[in-house]
């Protein structure tokens, strides 16, 4: 495989939050390339193929338009994994790589069983040479393991393995894919490795300027992805750490973020204090980084990055504890309205959302939680809470804060359903609530008629704003008592 291959058929294994939007944009920008996205999940594929674009399995601004343009032309979704592998010259692996929940590395390491399965399937099906691209986020040196599996059949088929991690953020996926800060490609420093890199560069060049396509060795590319997420999460934990100090001192965390963000060496982005970062990747990727550091006997480096997670646990706990403390040390039987459940605005994704953890802590005290989120389904909310009952990570920070170990009881599905109500209307969620907690920064929350909420909804007295999006001065005047993250009195 020494010549630069011109790619005509792409396969992507995994039609999730990365595979779906990324391949839709490749198909949109490269009408001369057939893009076949496959998944084992039949429902997900059926949803990608639904004529009603509102039913796509992922909500992302702009995604429906891109799918409408390319689907049926050169973009196809199916469950026929073997056919897609067979036909493609280039295969993206975009399957999930969650934190392991069993065995060696439980709770820390990335679970690579889905990746391994893909490699075995490719090895079994492939009849001609192929370029395999790691799109999933993987521990450094995974390409080595892939190479071993792929070449284990001894049938003479050659595979060139590239790493091209994805940096899109949910809620802005299409914008990020259309105008990426950079696309990254890692390849082997061999003639065939360089040819494979060039083949993928040529795909991206259809819409991305060459200077925005960075090429490195494979290991650097793999580790760049974990590093980028660790740095981004670290900024959120850093500003959240300062938010705790602001609340004690009367300083305003948003003013601080603005002031320090003006320093071009620091930069203004990713300095928004919050109830804690969520999403499927920050925590998972840092835990994976910590695991790798411990594996390579670098305990100081591991402890350094682990602190980013501990600070995030602390922030979520601080928020729930403030609600309980303020409501006279118990929320038992009290109605708490949750505005937002998604881990950030403009997505229906709830993975690791801070709302789940805040709810869980309030439910331990038997609060009655009433949730409104514009994009998250009722079943998803119950599923998130049910999953957590048997999958809690040990949160050492909670024990150190209260100087005692915290015994969580496991709630049954019946208990969860009796304590949690999901609303389609925000005003019914807030009606007669003892407190309102803002968990996601949906724009529509800024537009609510707070006078009506206060005067006609039986005066919910307290607003706990975990996103600093409602106007404190306006709400104070109406009569609410408002607690903002990082704003002292
Ligand atoms: P996801 O869970 O939304 O999608 C993964 C899909 O892969 C699922 O639909 C699953 O059914 C499918 N799958 C698993 N094994 C399969 C197999 N053997 N054959 C066919 N299909 C299979 O996950 P995601 O959010 O798209 O993340 C995928 C990877 O991308 C992860 O490594 C993640 O860390 C990384 N990533 C995610 C984001 C993000 O915003 N979500 C951003 C950058 C990178
Ligand atoms: C993040 C990265 O931004 C992407 O580059 C990366 O590709 C992706 O992870 C991934 O690997 O999965 P994502 O998790 O989708 O993207 O969304 P972010 O915008 O990074 O937000 C993550 C969390 O941090 C959210 O809960 C958000 O509310 C929170 N956050 C973000 C803050 O609390 N403050 C900020 O200033 C920024």
């Amino acid at each position: 495989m020494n010549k630069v291959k011109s790619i005509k058929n792409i396969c992507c294994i995994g039609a999730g939050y990365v595979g779906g939007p990324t391949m839709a944009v490749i198909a949109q920008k490269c009408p001369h390339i057939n893009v076949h996205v496959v998944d084992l999940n039949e429902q997900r594929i059926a949803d990608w193929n639904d004529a009603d674009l509102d039913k796509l399995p992922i909500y992302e601004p702009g995604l429906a338009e891109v799918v409408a343009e390319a689907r049926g032309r050169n973009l196809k979704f199916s469950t026929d994994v073997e056919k897609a592998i067979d036909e493609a010259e280039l295969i993206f692996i975009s399957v999930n790589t969650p934190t392991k929940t069993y065995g060696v590395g439980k709770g820390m390491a990335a679970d690579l069983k889905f990746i391994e399965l893909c490699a075995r399937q490719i090895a079994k099906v492939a009849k001609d040479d192929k370029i395999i691209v790691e799109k999933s986020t993987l521990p450094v040196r995974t390409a080595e393991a892939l190479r071993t599996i792929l070449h284990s059949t001894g049938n003479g088929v050659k595979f060139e393995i590239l790493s091209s991690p994805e940096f899109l953020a949910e809620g802005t996926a299409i914008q990020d894919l259309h105008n990426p800060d950079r696309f990254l490609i890692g390849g082997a420093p061999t003639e065939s490795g360089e040819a494979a890199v060039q083949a993928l560069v040529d795909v991206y060049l259809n819409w991305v300027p060459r200077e925005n396509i960075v090429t490195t060795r494979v290991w650097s590319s793999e580790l760049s992805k974990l590093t980028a997420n660790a740095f981004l999460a670290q900024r959120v934990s850093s500003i959240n750490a300062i938010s705790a100090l602001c609340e004690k001192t009367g300083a305003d965390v948003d003013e601080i973020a603005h002031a320090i963000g003006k320093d071009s060496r620091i930069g203004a982005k990713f300095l928004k204090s919050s109830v804690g970062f969520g999403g499927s990747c920050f925590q998972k990727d840092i835990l994976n980084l910590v695991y790798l550091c411990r594996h390579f006997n670098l305990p100081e480096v591991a402890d350094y990055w682990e602190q980013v997670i501990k600070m995030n646990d602390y922030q979520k706990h601080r928020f729930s504890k403030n609600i309980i403390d303020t409501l006279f040390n118990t929320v038992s039987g009290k109605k708490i309205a949750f505005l937002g459940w998604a881990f950030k605005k403009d997505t229906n994704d709830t993975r690791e959302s801070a709302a789940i953890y805040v709810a869980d802590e309030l439910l331990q005290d038997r609060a009655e939680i009433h949730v409104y989120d514009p994009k998250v389904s009722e079943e998803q909310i119950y599923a998130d809470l049910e999953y957590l009952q048997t999958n809690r990570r040990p949160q050492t920070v909670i024990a150190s804060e209260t100087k005692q170990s915290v015994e969580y009881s496991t709630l049954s599905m019946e208990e969860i359903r009796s304590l949690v109500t999901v609303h389609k209307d925000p005003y019914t969620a807030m009606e007669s609530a003892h407190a309102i907690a803002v968990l996601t920064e949906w724009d529509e929350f800024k537009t609510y008629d707070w006078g009506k909420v206060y005067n006609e909804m039986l005066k919910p007295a307290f607003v706990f704003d975990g996103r600093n999006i409602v106007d404190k001065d306006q709400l104070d005047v109406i009569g609410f008592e408002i607690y903002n993250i990082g704003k002292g009195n």
Side-chain angles (χ1 to χ4, degrees):
M1 198 198 300
N2 291 345
K3 288 202 312 297
V4 177
K5 262 194 178 182
S6 165
I7 305 297
K8 295 192 179 62
N9 296 283
I10 285 177
C11 158
C12 174
I13 308 179
Y17 281 85
V18 167
T22 308
M23 293 306 126
V25 167
I26 290 183
Q28 180 196 32
K29 299 294 183 183
C30 311
H32 56 287
I33 299 177
N34 292 313
V35 181
H36 191 168
V37 191
V38 287
D39 204 294
L40 298 175
N41 183 332
E42 289 180 9
Q43 185 58 50
R44 213 166 214 190
I45 290 299
D47 291 344
W48 279 112
N49 283 322
D50 204 303
D52 180 355
L53 290 166
D54 285 339
K55 299 231 173 83
L56 293 182
I58 290 167
Y59 172 70
E60 272 295 333
L63 174 64
E65 290 78 359
V66 177
V67 171
E69 186 180 332
R71 198 178 59 185
R73 182 187 68 189
N74 62 328
L75 174 64
K76 186 160 106 181
F77 295 94
S78 89
T79 51
D80 199 344
V81 181
E82 298 205 348
K83 183 164 186 278
I85 292 173
D86 183 34
E87 287 173 354
E89 298 98 37
L90 186 147
I91 300 170
F92 285 101
I93 301 182
S94 192
V95 299
N96 37 329
T97 50
T99 305
K100 267 186 98 174
T101 52
Y102 56 88
V104 180
K106 176 181 173 181
M108 299 291 288
D111 191 342
L112 299 181
K113 70 176 176 211
F114 304 109
I115 294 282
E116 202 180 315
L117 215 73
C118 291
R120 291 193 192 286
Q121 197 158 19
I122 295 169
K124 190 180 93 183
V125 172
K127 298 195 274 296
D128 49 12
D129 297 355
K130 295 188 190 297
I131 300 171
I132 310 300
V133 187
E134 300 172 342
K135 189 56 78 186
S136 300
T137 302
L138 297 167
V140 54
R141 297 195 83 92
T142 303
E144 202 165 63
L146 279 183
R147 188 181 313 281
T148 308
I149 296 169
L150 286 166
H151 288 119
S152 64
T153 59
N155 64 2
V157 173
K158 289 204 173 53
F159 298 97
E160 203 53 56
I161 298 157
L162 304 179
S163 156
S164 185
E166 185 48 61
F167 294 97
L168 67 81
E170 290 178 29
T172 54
I174 299 302
Q175 200 180 308
D176 295 341
L177 289 163
H178 280 165
N179 301 297
D181 286 346
R182 60 16 195 129
F183 275 166
L184 175 60
I185 306 173
T190 57
E191 203 178 331
S192 60
E194 282 163 11
V197 168
Q198 190 56 48
L200 185 53
V201 167
D202 288 344
V203 173
Y204 292 154
L205 271 179
N206 282 289
W207 77 101
V208 181
R210 183 63 185 87
E211 60 272 23
N212 289 10
I213 303 172
V214 176
T215 54
T216 64
R217 303 270 177 104
V218 183
W219 316 141
S220 309
S221 171
E222 289 177 333
L223 191 51
S224 294
K225 175 62 197 177
L226 291 185
T227 308
N229 274 358
F231 270 57
L232 290 168
Q234 180 204 45
R235 279 175 74 94
V236 179
S237 277
S238 296
I239 198 72
N240 281 344
I242 297 301
S243 76
L245 188 57
C246 285
E247 288 167 29
K248 298 280 187 205
T249 56
D252 180 326
V253 76
D254 283 342
E255 289 181 352
I256 292 175
H258 179 68
I260 66 168
K262 285 279 181 197
D263 185 329
S264 60
R265 295 168 303 172
I266 296 175
K269 292 182 182 168
F270 257 74
L271 287 179
K272 187 89 189 105
S273 176
S274 68
V275 53
F277 60 74
S280 62
C281 293
F282 279 177
Q283 177 175 294
K284 147 177 102 64
D285 292 348
I286 295 178
L287 288 171
N288 185 3
L289 186 64
V290 170
Y291 182 76
L292 281 171
C293 294
R294 294 214 200 288
H295 172 81
F296 288 108
N297 197 22
L298 300 168
E300 288 79 5
V301 187
D303 291 350
Y304 176 77
W305 287 110
E306 193 167 34
Q307 195 58 33
V308 173
I309 301 281
K310 287 186 177 171
M311 184 54 61
N312 199 49
D313 287 341
Y314 171 70
Q315 189 75 347
K316 291 181 275 190
H317 168 60
R318 226 164 57 73
F319 188 78
S320 349
K321 189 168 178 296
N322 187 25
I323 296 177
I324 298 172
D325 289 353
T326 308
L327 296 183
F328 317 107
N329 275 326
T330 179
V331 286
S332 172
K334 293 180 182 165
K335 176 173 175 176
I336 314 291
F338 270 37
L339 293 184
W341 191 264
F343 81 97
K344 62 185 282 198
K345 74 172 180 178
D346 291 339
T347 177
N348 61 345
D349 195 349
T350 63
R351 291 177 286 181
E352 291 301 329
S353 178
I356 304 169
Y357 292 91
V358 173
D360 190 44
E361 228 174 306
L362 300 185
L363 286 173
Q364 290 297 313
D365 203 44
R366 301 300 184 271
E368 290 175 15
I369 296 179
H370 289 247
V371 187
Y372 167 74
D373 186 288
K375 289 289 173 196
V376 179
S377 72
E378 180 172 335
E379 283 321 304
Q380 185 61 52
I381 292 170
Y382 290 131
D384 289 338
L385 287 168
E386 190 181 18
Y387 179 81
L388 191 64
Q389 300 309 310
T390 45
N391 291 284
R392 286 197 187 88
R393 280 184 315 111
Q395 295 192 349
T396 48
V397 66
I398 294 178
S400 68
E401 163 93 357
T402 54
K403 303 276 186 273
Q404 55 186 290
S405 64
V406 175
E407 290 285 334
Y408 275 92
S409 55
T410 302
L411 298 177
S412 67
M413 202 53 216
E414 288 69 38
E415 284 172 299
I416 291 172
R417 281 184 187 264
S418 75
L419 290 169
V420 180
T421 311
V422 181
H423 293 254
K424 290 198 167 24
D425 176 75
Y427 293 99
T428 63
M430 290 189 279
E431 187 161 15
S432 358
H434 290 78
I436 297 165
V438 181
L439 277 311
T440 312
E441 70 281 22
W442 285 102
D443 288 334
E444 68 170 65
F445 299 163
K446 298 179 196 161
T447 66
Y448 288 172
D449 182 346
W450 290 101
K452 173 175 157 180
V453 174
Y454 189 75
N455 292 316
E456 294 175 27
M457 302 290 168
L458 302 182
K459 299 191 177 20
F462 299 99
V463 176
F464 297 88
D465 187 354
R467 295 289 180 169
N468 283 337
I469 59 159
V470 296
D471 185 337
K472 182 173 168 52
D473 294 338
Q474 183 205 350
L475 264 64
D476 277 344
V477 170
I478 292 170
F480 285 104
E481 274 203 49
I482 173 152
Y483 292 83
N484 288 90
I485 283 282
K487 294 188 198 263
N489 294 313

